[in-house]
């Protein structure tokens, strides 16, 4: 069976961003628990871990997902998104 180890601390720029928001909220935001996407969403949406996490939001299992999500039409139908924190510059190169 699939195993997710929640004992390993989460880190990265997005986690630091959320933690800084918690810090400046003066107690308005508390009790944040970080975890992996559900196994059910992995089965329902096997093609994308990011879409599977959004699926968990749609189904009320979690309140938000943190990470470098692209806002796709499929995901936007599932839940609302914040304004992007970072924009990726994606370039399509086609040979002549």
């Amino acid at each position: 069976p699939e195993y997710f180890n929640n004992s390993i601390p989460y880190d990265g720029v997005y986690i630091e961003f959320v933690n800084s928001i918690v810090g400046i909220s003066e107690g308005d935001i508390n009790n944040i628990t970080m975890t992996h996407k559900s196994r059910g969403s992995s089965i329902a949406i096997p093609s994308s871990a990011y879409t599977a996490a959004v699926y968990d939001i749609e189904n009320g299992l979690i309140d938000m997902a943190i990470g470098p999500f692209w806002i796709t039409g499929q995901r936007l139908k599932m839940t609302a998104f914040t304004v992007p924190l970072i924009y990726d510059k994606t370039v399509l190169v086609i040979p002549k």
Side-chain angles (χ1 to χ4, degrees):
E2 191 173 14
Y3 175 72
F4 296 117
N5 186 352
N6 282 330
S7 69
I8 300 170
Y10 292 89
D11 65 351
V13 67
Y14 295 102
I15 303 301
E16 291 174 16
F17 178 76
V18 169
N19 287 335
S20 68
I21 290 173
V22 170
I24 63 173
S25 75
E26 298 178 358
D28 288 340
I29 303 171
N30 57 25
N31 194 22
I32 292 184
T33 303
M34 296 188 191
T35 188
H36 297 276
K37 64 184 172 23
S38 72
R39 289 185 178 97
S41 67
S42 296
I43 293 168
I45 313 282
S47 60
S48 169
Y50 293 103
T51 303
V54 175
Y55 182 82
D56 282 343
I57 297 170
E58 178 184 37
N59 288 297
L61 297 175
I62 58 174
D63 294 322
M64 69 177 175
I66 304 167
F69 288 81
W70 285 16
I71 302 172
T72 66
Q74 178 188 16
R75 295 175 188 161
L76 200 52
K77 290 177 186 175
M78 294 179 181
T79 192
F81 282 79
T82 64
V83 174
L85 303 173
I86 300 170
Y87 288 96
D88 284 340
K89 206 175 222 184
T90 305
V91 178
L92 176 63
V93 179
I94 302 172
K96 289 184 176 185

